[in-house]
Amino acid sequence: MKYFDKIDKIKYEGSKSSNPFAFKYYNSNELIFGKKMKDHLKFSMAYWHTMTGKGVDPFGAETMERPWDDEQDEMEKAKIRVKVAFEFMEKLGLEYFAFHDRDIAPEGETLSESNKNLDVIVDLIEKEMKRTGIKLLWGTANLFYNKRFVNGASTSPNADIFAFSAAQVKKAMEITKRLNGAGYTFWGGREGYETLLNTDMKLEQDNFARFLKMAVVYAKEIGFEGQFYIEPKPKEPTKHQYDYDSATVISFLRKHGLDKDFKLNIETNHATLAMHTMNHEIRLAADNDMLGSVDANQGDLLLGWDTDQFPTNVYDTTLTMYEVLRAGGLKSGGLNFDAKVKRSSFTKNDLLIAHIAGMDAYAAGLRIASKLLEDGVFENNLKDRYRSYNEGIGKQIVSKEVGFKELEEYVMNKKELEKNESGKQELLEAILNQYIIG
Amino acid sequence: MKYFDKIDKIKYEGSKSSNPFAFKYYNSNELIFGKKMKDHLKFSMAYWHTMTGKGVDPFGAETMERPWDDEQDEMEKAKIRVKVAFEFMEKLGLEYFAFHDRDIAPEGETLSESNKNLDVIVDLIEKEMKRTGIKLLWGTANLFYNKRFVNGASTSPNADIFAFSAAQVKKAMEITKRLNGAGYTFWGGREGYETLLNTDMKLEQDNFARFLKMAVVYAKEIGFEGQFYIEPKPKEPTKHQYDYDSATVISFLRKHGLDKDFKLNIETNHATLAMHTMNHEIRLAADNDMLGSVDANQGDLLLGWDTDQFPTNVYDTTLTMYEVLRAGGLKSGGLNFDAKVKRSSFTKNDLLIAHIAGMDAYAAGLRIASKLLEDGVFENNLKDRYRSYNEGIGKQIVSKEVGFKELEEYVMNKKELEKNESGKQELLEAILNQYIIG
Amino acid sequence: MKYFDKIDKIKYEGSKSSNPFAFKYYNSNELIFGKKMKDHLKFSMAYWHTMTGKGVDPFGAETMERPWDDEQDEMEKAKIRVKVAFEFMEKLGLEYFAFHDRDIAPEGETLSESNKNLDVIVDLIEKEMKRTGIKLLWGTANLFYNKRFVNGASTSPNADIFAFSAAQVKKAMEITKRLNGAGYTFWGGREGYETLLNTDMKLEQDNFARFLKMAVVYAKEIGFEGQFYIEPKPKEPTKHQYDYDSATVISFLRKHGLDKDFKLNIETNHATLAMHTMNHEIRLAADNDMLGSVDANQGDLLLGWDTDQFPTNVYDTTLTMYEVLRAGGLKSGGLNFDAKVKRSSFTKNDLLIAHIAGMDAYAAGLRIASKLLEDGVFENNLKDRYRSYNEGIGKQIVSKEVGFKELEEYVMNKKELEKNESGKQELLEAILNQYIIG
Amino acid sequence: MKYFDKIDKIKYEGSKSSNPFAFKYYNSNELIFGKKMKDHLKFSMAYWHTMTGKGVDPFGAETMERPWDDEQDEMEKAKIRVKVAFEFMEKLGLEYFAFHDRDIAPEGETLSESNKNLDVIVDLIEKEMKRTGIKLLWGTANLFYNKRFVNGASTSPNADIFAFSAAQVKKAMEITKRLNGAGYTFWGGREGYETLLNTDMKLEQDNFARFLKMAVVYAKEIGFEGQFYIEPKPKEPTKHQYDYDSATVISFLRKHGLDKDFKLNIETNHATLAMHTMNHEIRLAADNDMLGSVDANQGDLLLGWDTDQFPTNVYDTTLTMYEVLRAGGLKSGGLNFDAKVKRSSFTKNDLLIAHIAGMDAYAAGLRIASKLLEDGVFENNLKDRYRSYNEGIGKQIVSKEVGFKELEEYVMNKKELEKNESGKQELLEAILNQYIIG
């Protein structure tokens, strides 16, 4: 049975189209810097939001119309969903997806039963992947939903929960490998605390590091060569999460000697919840050679929780793609739509429309960003702005030839210091507007 | 002496221009809905930021290069500034300005001396206004800078300060009338409290109302027919300001029977400091027939203070102009650039560039908003979405023909309620993008 | 069957007790200003959190151990819960409770079935109330959980949903009357919007007013004399809620001529989500004669969502009770624990402990506040601080004998204005500490 | 001349005293864990706020009554201030102070003149230190006020400014050494950016590291053995500061091999501006062996800027001192009052009162924290909560004897996992209240 059969495969119709089921900016095979749009963007469907999200919020019940969920048997429903997922991705031309273990197959009474459920569904997924050529961007394990994780997973005060989490991740890594996943992500939704009054933060963080090291070791053991990611988020569900933001995660990885084994999976809404811009988070990761993948969504900066909205703000998508291009692209990573349709966008067609909105916003952002780079708009300004470090005293500073004494001497002997120059922020913003609105 | 003589009058060169001293979107005489762009937008220069702002911040000294401030005598400097202000406005084609009393003329030892200073400068301004045709959007009194206002002005616990504030506003109203100001604004920067522990909020708010009533009475007395505005801001400098946001001000005005005498002067950055969108604030004012004027700037939603940046975000300018057009335009009000160049944009040319950036962003926003309205993009959706209130039970609800009993009966007798429809937020956002990025 | 039979009725043991199941500060019959503590505080159990809350959060499943919920039949479960609720309240000496219709009885297939379910359970509750003397603080209807309210209840674009909401509230008012509820509360969780792009705010707000008027009319019709409350909250679940904060609600009520029929039910966590202190919100309500009742909880100011924690911060409880005492007490209202145990406090005993923590924090706050008032700590300071309005020019200002001209004359003739005085904030905070920590 | 001669040396009078010029909780020589209160707390006066702060805010002029500033000659004024500073510290029994170079002596026309000014004042300070026994907690250089730092100091795009900053810090280190300062602090108020559009973040951060290394080298060269500190702050004055929070600074130091040379100077208000609790920031620093010193103040969590209020919240002071005691005390560091009296607390006596308020709040916090530790309130709970890591599988996890395979096997073979236990947050908060309010 098909669920989107009344809608044709979504096509590029250009910016004047008023067809809600067409791309206005995303032209998958168009070349940008000699590379296809789709290979720059590598859009991925998030199985959790798109396939299993139901529109629940802390004050309200499910709203989503998902006819494929009418089936009552959980395993049957999971099988149907696999079909729907691939039908949906084909329709949109999405070439990647990402999942948690518990999104794709129901949890059983025991871990062993859960694993069996996974195996059945993974068989199906594998077939669909072969049939369609769609690939797995990354897999992960859900270590936050079940009540056993109430006090954390690898940071639980209960060692048995650490053990259980290890066993669950082991399996999730195995199926990710089997599906040839390009990556494996750790999002520590419960790895944090509610109150320091009852928390041994040092032990918890050390345990978290031990857990990650076990994963690295096990990856080698099974020959999994995908990229490991950590996904920063400052809070929610817990009051304070250890993977607070990019800087915190980089610090943690470096402290525990894990910085060569992990990169970051950076989410727009998590960036702003941590009070950073998304481009800051990407730049910081790239500067530290830790840019991995992107969870593409957007938050509402006037709200204090994770709204995971589909990305439509073109300033954001432009600046995100600008940083991505500047960093040389995403390598193993992609743009995963960790985004949910609004609770009031409850029809199945809203799912298509929301993805189209997001894909178009990112495609437009990519095009604008590529032109900004091509024209050297910001890069030439940077070169000029920092030119004093390419010669004279600036060069000596950079090459560490001088210290405080030499610099004092330099200053004392110089009649007048070089004048400061305007930062030109308004001009740069105005030029950015010319590129965005044309 | 001229200070911007190396720059020609700023002209419209279209969106492809790379001339920093040209408009890319603002084409003053272009007709939109049969009205000139400049009459839709009514841009105004803020005397305080543009003429007297020096780049001070809580941690740093002045940075701005303002050659016209080299003069040491305060009155001479004030006179020079008048010339510069009009030269600047002419260069940009700004047809309005706004000022506080203390921006244009230095405060004297006594109120009477301050008033004399004002008279001298107002003479000059009047001449320049005649010469250039530039108009006064609104005047106001600075009741927050001098240390006498440390505990408030009309809400001071010290009755003498109330009296002083009254006398100062009296004069400010007189000069505003003399300069044929289209409005007079009250921004209560110190009308609030630092801690409730020491505050009689009721007395303070009642005094504030008494003060405003005196202003209304005095306006009639002197025949000032300009529009009174209150400018909401939630906090900063005080911990809590009484004119918190549009809803709060409307409530206050209504309570004290002042709602016919005042409208709102709404500022973008103040809206977001109060955790509202700018379009919400304008819509609310318009719905209550209290939309007056706009302080056009933008904040940084990741920062918690008033950054008063020049407006460059085209989503914001589009949605602001959309609400303004929808409300039938600004009448007595205009778009006043209550915006300061960044502290690091310290050259005098940055002043021009920043205003160009803001004018272009609003011009682009106006054009986009007018097309959205013309095409009925959102309005047709609204009509359809709320159609159930135009007939049947909905109509009866609106016309108050039914009560709880009738509605219960209606529900009990109806087999099935009308289905809810999708809110289509992602679709609407995607369509908005097509209008913005073209 | 009893569920808390291993714990004795909670007794007051004083501040040195280390018994987790004893009050350290709450001594119900102790007289404060000649009135029993329990009559000042009027603690109320929130049926939703305490009886039906399960520890779900946006990322996790139920955690709560609630043996009384083992029963599978929904109506049987509801009956058991009534018993547990009263056992629980008796154990703690809680003399009030509050509920939504859907907390106490399951929703049926039809409204009529839901109403029947309610009638069965209300019978039981009535008996328990008679048996124990426990009273209903207020009732309300849940107009936010069911998916029919996805676009709002009385502000839905779908008139049938308005009608349904009316019918549901009609019944909720009837059972509240039957149980002799001292009040009836409206919390508009879905009365707001997700995006202005699709919202006719004016129609929605007018409909909301129409709805409230119908309630007022129906109350008279059935002789319900309880107090109506509106409970402000700025956001969550919706992006923007119409009952934003106290000022907004007061404005709305006044505009629609409803200000005599409603008072406010103010919640601590909602106050801070709106960026106000709780004492500000209470003071504002009291100053407008609209202080009704209190939802006693606390938020985490470093988090951006409604955490509804049990109140333990004694600064907050002291300042809340200070404002309540200053306003002459709560009249029809009380302190309703709209608070949930932390998701990780999942044992049934945590429920007792959390209520004890909250009751003790408020009892301590009451005692401290009463001493502050008795000693005139803040009130004497206020009298002194504002003394200038009791004589001379200040008195004339207050009695409206003077206008701008007279005040200007006064200022011009006065050699020197009265000096401003220190606000003494640090001193007042230090004195407050002496009262709190003893 | 004496400026506080009407007030006696502030004495401890106990918690019942109503003398505003007496300590209620701070009893300097009282022993806590065998150590004098004053040696636990090591209170320090911040020269900038207390001696040179004038009550300016972004919207208002100076308010402070500081008779010692009547002198017009800047050097004479600086000399008088030294006398006043020591008179003030003696009066309060403050045994430490901290300063920026530009607080104590005016900046000259040239660096060389500035350095001469410093030498003159440092002579005076040295004498006063000898006379009184008061010590220097730390020195620092003001690299943010002068307009030359508009684009940063060591992170300026202008190499000459890097050089100037180096020369200025060199001198500041020299005078700190001469005054036997226990530490030297770097607060990078301008080391950050306004917009990424014009920022080469990597070069700027690398330059910052180069700068710090030069400082380390120069310290060895001159034999300065005081502790270097970095003070985290997320933003303000710049939009984004590189020393964002403790985690970020630790990351930066570790990356550049500077983690053995620096510790953190953590400020309460900076912690909350970064959306962390103060105790989190201290715990994190201590867990990484980087706890250095504390800037003792408090912010207003409902405001988004640095209010630098005197610390009066006893929850905060208790939890801060708890973490400090738990970490073994502050070693080289102390509690520096980086706090300013409210702008409306403008009398010179408010300065005394505010310091008394802060010292009392911290003394009370210390006493409460010491009892909490003595009774093992939280520590015993921790031991119990994490006991599973001391034996069996938990011990094997900690000692790295097991990996994913062994843990999977363990889980598969175990019939039932150990049950999770309640986090008991409400209980712990209630117990904390008993310790605070007694």
Side-chain angles (χ1 to χ4, degrees), chain C residues 321-339:
Chain C
M321 290 315 299
Y322 186 82
E323 295 296 334
V324 166
L325 289 175
R326 197 176 183 267
L330 284 173
K331 317 273 156 46
S332 58
L335 298 178
N336 176 53
F337 286 118
D338 190 358

Side-chain angles (χ1 to χ4, degrees), chain B residues 215-232:
Chain B
V216 170
V217 168
Y218 190 65
K220 279 186 193 137
E221 215 167 312
I222 62 172
F224 173 61
E225 295 181 344
Q227 176 65 50
F228 278 128
Y229 305 116
I230 301 231
E231 180 173 329

